[in-house]
Amino acid sequence: MQVTVDVKGEDTHEIEAEEPTYADLLAAVDLSPHEASVLVDGRPVPEDQPVETDRVTVLRLIKGG
């Protein structure tokens, strides 16, 4: 399966994986579920779910202090 991963404000990646989860897509772009959220059609999805789409958006979570 080929999935386009659009990391908002950064790059777009083409990821090829067999039966990936959304966490697998985050790992492929060097992010963890603690650092970012995956959105499908503008809605967050659980990272342990299998990917059922060919395009996702990744939003990095804001950190600060």
Side-chain angles (χ1 to χ4, degrees):
M1 165 179 240
Q2 183 167 349
V3 181
T4 301
V5 179
D6 178 23
V7 182
K8 280 297 181 191
E10 297 181 24
D11 296 325
T12 299
H13 306 268
E14 297 293 329
I15 308 297
E16 184 72 37
E18 290 295 320
E19 301 181 26
T21 63
Y22 293 105
D24 295 333
L25 297 181
L26 287 175
V29 296
D30 295 323
L31 293 171
S32 79
H34 301 289
E35 297 176 278
S37 292
V38 180
L39 306 177
V40 174
D41 296 328
R43 295 188 175 131
V45 293
E47 67 269 0
D48 62 348
Q49 295 260 328
V51 176
E52 297 178 352
T53 185
D54 62 353
R55 184 172 193 85
V56 300
T57 301
V58 173
L59 288 178
R60 290 182 69 122
L61 302 175
I62 297 173
K63 293 191 271 184

